[in-house]
C-alpha cells in the first residue's frame, strides 16, 4: 500500500482559489515533486484494496432456521456475483441459521457450501478470471485483480477454503484452525501465478468443527482510475454480467437463467453501454459489433404488437423466444431499447445495423395505441391485441421518450401530448433524468416546445428535494450522516420483497436506490458528482462488481441483486459524470448530436 496518497491535491486546487494558469502550473509542479519523492522511497505501486463480498449470509438469510440448513430459493437467495450457491457433504444436517449467520454444529461427517463465481453452477462455459475480476479492459493496467480470500467467522475446529475450476478440480486451498468466540476476519493471500480461471469458492467444515460464518469475500486491487472512471467501469461490468451474448438479450436479473425473464429495455441500453466501452478502450470493437448484430437479429424475430416489443421475453419449451406471460407489449420499453440501439450503431458507425433499427422504428403503428385526444397508450396486453388502459400523460422522461419515438416515424404528423405540471410521478427520481441519458438537449434552459417547462430547473429542484429527504425524514440515520440518498424504483427491500416505485410522494421510505444518486448528480448536480462518488465510496458501496440494488437508511442492509435496468441507468449516468456533457470527449452526446433520427426527435422539443 502507498504510504501516502496525492489524490487530495486534485480538487482543492481546482476550486478557483488561485488564478487559472498559476494554479495549473502549481498543481503540475506539486504532482511532479510528490511523484519523484514517492518513487524515491518505493511506495508508488499497489492500488487501493477493496472488499468484494462473495456472499453475506446475514443478507441471504436474515432470519433464524434452527436445526436445519436454510432453504435456498434461487429467486431470493443468490451471491453478490449474480450466481447460485448450495450446501454439500453428508453432514448437511449440522447446518442451521441464527440471525442469518450460518452455524455448523459439531458432528461426525464433513459438510460445507459451494458458491459459483460466474453464472450458474451448471453453466460450465462461464468462468472467472481472478486477474480481471470485472472482465473489462484490454490493457492489464485496467484490470481489477483478486489479492486475498477473506472469511469472517468464529468458532473452534478445522475449516477449509477452496477455489475450484469448472470441472470442480480444486486449484487453491487453505486450512483454518478456528479458535475464537467472537467473529474474526481471516485473510488468505492468493497466488495468481499458480491458478487459471476459476468457477467455485467452497468452504468445508471438517468433522467436529463448531463454526459460525457470517460472510466470505475477496480483497481486490483497484486499478489506478479516477473515481469517475471507476464508477463507469464497475457499472458497465455489472450490466454486461447480465447479458447473454448467445441470444443477444439481457437478463432482467443477473442471477436468473437466460430466457427466464429477459428485459428488452436493458438489452438496448446494454448495446449502448458496450459501445461506449469500445470508444473508451475497454472492450473489443469486433466483439461488441457482433453482440449488437445478434441483439438486432433476435429482436427482429420476437413477436411485436403494432411494432412494439415485449417488456419482458422468455424462451418457451419449444425453444421459441416470445413475450413473457402476464407482461405487456410496451411503448416505453420499446423506445428505450431503440434509443440505445440507434446510438450504439451510430457510435460504432455500423450503418447497415443502424438502418435496420430505423426500419423497426418505421413499423410502429402509433395510431393503434393513441386515443382520440392524443394521449399515447402504454401498449398492449400479452395477447398483442387488447390495449392497456393507461396512457402517457405525466410530465417526465418516460413520456418524453415515447413522444420522441413517435417523432422518429417517417412522414407522421405527431399527435402525442404531455401535461405541463413539471412534476414527475410520485417524485420518483429516475423519471426526471432518463431522457437526458440519450439527449443533451434537455439541458437547455428555455421551456420545451411541448410541456412549456424548463427541464433543468425542474430536474434541479427534484434533486435538491431528494437530497433533503433523508436528513428531514431520518435525521439520525447513517444515510443522513453519510450523505446517501435516492428515492426511485427497484426492489422494495431485501431479496423477494418485490418491485416498487418510491419517490418523494411516499412517506417514510427507508430503502434508497443509489442509481438515482448517480443519475441526479451526474446529470443535474452542477459539478457535485465527484462529491457523491466520494460519499458512496466512504459508505463502502462502490463495490468492484457494482452498486447494490438498494440500501437501507442505516447502511447495514442492502439487496445484492444485480438488476440490469438499474445497472444500465448507472452505466450511462456514470459515463456522463465522467465525460462532461457537450464535450468532444463525450462520445454518447456526440452520437446523439450526429444521428439524424435522434435529431428529428429532439426537434419536437427544441428548435434545432
Amino acid at each position: 500500500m502507498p504510504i501516502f496518497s496525492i489524490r487530495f491535491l486534485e480538487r482543492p486546487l481546482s476550486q478557483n482559489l488561485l488564478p487559472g494558469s498559476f494554479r495549473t502550473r502549481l498543481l503540475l509542479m506539486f504532482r511532479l515533486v510528490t511523484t519523484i519523492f514517492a518513487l524515491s522511497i518505493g511506495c508508488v505501486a499497489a492500488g487501493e484494496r477493496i472488499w468484494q463480498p462473495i456472499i453475506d449470509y446475514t443478507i441471504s438469510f436474515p432470519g433464524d432456521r434452527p436445526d436445519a440448513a436454510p432453504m435456498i430459493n434461487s429467486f431470493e437467495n443468490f451471491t453478490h456475483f449474480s450466481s447460485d450457491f448450495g450446501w454439500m457433504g453428508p453432514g448437511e444436517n449440522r447446518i442451521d441459521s441464527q440471525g442469518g449467520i450460518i452455524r455448523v454444529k459439531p458432528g461426525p461427517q464433513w459438510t460445507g457450501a459451494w458458491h459459483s463465481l460466474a453464472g450458474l453452477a451448471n453453466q460450465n462455459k462461464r468462468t472467472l478470471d481472478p486477474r480481471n475480476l470485472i472482465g473489462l479492459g484490454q490493457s492489464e493496467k485496467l484490470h481489477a485483480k483478486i489479492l486475498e480470500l477473506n472469511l469472517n467467522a468464529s468458532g473452534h475446529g478445522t475449516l477449509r477454503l477452496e477455489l475450484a475450476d469448472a470441472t470442480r478440480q480444486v486449484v487453491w486451498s487453505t486450512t483454518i484452525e478456528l479458535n475464537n468466540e467472537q467473529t474474526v476476519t481471516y485473510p488468505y493471500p492468493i497466488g495468481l501465478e499458480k491458478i487459471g480461471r476459476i468457477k467455485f469458492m467452497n468452504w468445508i467444515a471438517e468433522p467436529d468443527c463448531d463454526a459460525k460464518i457470517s460472510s466470505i469475500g475477496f480483497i481486490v486491487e483497484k486499478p489506478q482510475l479516477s473515481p469517475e472512471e471507476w464508477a463507469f467501469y464497475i457499472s458497465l461490468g455489472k450490466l454486461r454480467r447480465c447479458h447473454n451474448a448467445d441470444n443477444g438479450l439481457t437478463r432482467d436479473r443477473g442471477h436468473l437463467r437466460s430466457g427466464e425473464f429477459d428485459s428488452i429495455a436493458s438489452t438496448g441500453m446494454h448495446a449502448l453501454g458496450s459501445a461506449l466501452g469500445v470508444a473508451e478502450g475497454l472492450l473489443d470493437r469486433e466483439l461488441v459489433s457482433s453482440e449488437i448484430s445478434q441483439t438486432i437479429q433476435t429482436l427482429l424475430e420476437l413477436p411485436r404488437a403494432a411494432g412494439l416489443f415485449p417488456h419482458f421475453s422468455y424462451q418457451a419449451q419449444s425453444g421459441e423466444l416470445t413475450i413473457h406471460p402476464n407482461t405487456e407489449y410496451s411503448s416505453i420499453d420499446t423506445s428505450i431499447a431503440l434509443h440505445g440501439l440507434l446510438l450504439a450503431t451510430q457510435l460504432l458507425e455500423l450503418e447497415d445495423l443502424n438502418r435496420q433499427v430505423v426500419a423497426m422504428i418505421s413499423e410502429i403503428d402509433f395510431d393503434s395505441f393513441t386515443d382520440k385526444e392524443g394521449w399515447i397508450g402504454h401498449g398492449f396486453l400479452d395477447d398483442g391485441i387488447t390495449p392497456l388502459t393507461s396512457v402517457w400523460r405525466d410530465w417526465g422522461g418516460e413520456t418524453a421518450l415515447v413522444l420522441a419515438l413517435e417523432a422518429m416515424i417517417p412522414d407522421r404528423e405527431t399527435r402525442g401530448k404531455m401535461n405541463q405540471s413539471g412534476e414527475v410521478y410520485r417524485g420518483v427520481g429516475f423519471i426526471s433524468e432518463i431522457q437526458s441519458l440519450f439527449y443533451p438537449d434537455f439541458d437547455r434552459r428555455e421551456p420545451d416546445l411541448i410541456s412549456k417547462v424548463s427541464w433543468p430547473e425542474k430536474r434541479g429542484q427534484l434533486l435538491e428535494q431528494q437530497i433533503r429527504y433523508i436528513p428531514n425524514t431520518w435525521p439520525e440515520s447513517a444515510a443522513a450522516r453519510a450523505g446517501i440518498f435516492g428515492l426511485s424504483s427497484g426492489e422494495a427491500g431485501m431479496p423477494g420483497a418485490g418491485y416498487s416505485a418510491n419517490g418523494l410522494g411516499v412517506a417514510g421510505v427507508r430503502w434508497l436506490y443509489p442509481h438515482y444518486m448517480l443519475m441526479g448528480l451526474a446529470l443535474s448536480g452542477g459539478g457535485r458528482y465527484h462529491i457523491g462518488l466520494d460519499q458512496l465510496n466512504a459508505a463502502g458501496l462502490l463495490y468492484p462488481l457494482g452498486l447494490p440494488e438498494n440500501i437501507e437508511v442505516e447502511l447495514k442492509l442492502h439487496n445484492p441483486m444485480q438488476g440490469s435496468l438499474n445497472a444500465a441507468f448507472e452505466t450511462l449516468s456514470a459515463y456522463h459524470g465522467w465525460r462532461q456533457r457537450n464535450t468532444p470527449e463525450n462520445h454518447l452526446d456526440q452520437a446523439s448530436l450526429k444521428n439524424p433520427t435522434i435529431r428529428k426527435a429532439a426537434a419536437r422539443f427544441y428548435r434545432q
Side-chain angles (χ1 to χ4, degrees), residues 253-292:
R253 301 155 187 251
H255 61 278
L256 296 181
R257 194 178 305 277
S258 184
E260 286 185 351
F261 208 67
D262 296 332
S263 167
I264 302 306
S266 298
T267 296
M269 288 190 287
H270 170 271
L272 177 54
S274 297
L276 292 170
V278 172
E280 299 296 345
L282 297 176
L283 292 169
D284 178 72
R285 176 178 292 271
E286 184 175 345
L287 169 68
V288 172
S289 297
S290 175
E291 290 175 352
I292 295 174

Side-chain angles (χ1 to χ4, degrees), residues 116-137:
S116 175
L117 298 174
L120 303 181
N122 61 3
Q123 296 174 328
N124 293 332
K125 292 182 180 180
R126 295 185 66 183
T127 57
L128 176 72
D129 182 356
R131 298 162 192 79
N132 185 10
L133 175 65
I134 301 173
L136 299 176

Side-chain angles (χ1 to χ4, degrees), residues 129-150:
D129 182 356
R131 298 162 192 79
N132 185 10
L133 175 65
I134 301 173
L136 299 176
Q138 299 188 73
S139 169
E140 186 177 344
K141 68 180 181 180
L142 296 176
H143 295 172
K145 301 177 180 65
I146 294 174
L147 300 177
E148 295 177 358
L149 179 62
N150 282 12

Side-chain angles (χ1 to χ4, degrees), residues 477-494:
S477 68
R481 294 191 299 273
I484 305 301
F485 65 92
L487 303 184
S488 195
S489 296
E491 295 299 290
M494 297 293 280

Side-chain angles (χ1 to χ4, degrees), residues 97-116:
S97 174
Q98 294 182 333
I101 295 175
I102 297 302
R103 184 178 67 167
V104 184
K105 297 167 289 188
Q109 296 177 304
W110 72 271
T111 189
W114 57 265
H115 310 75
S116 175

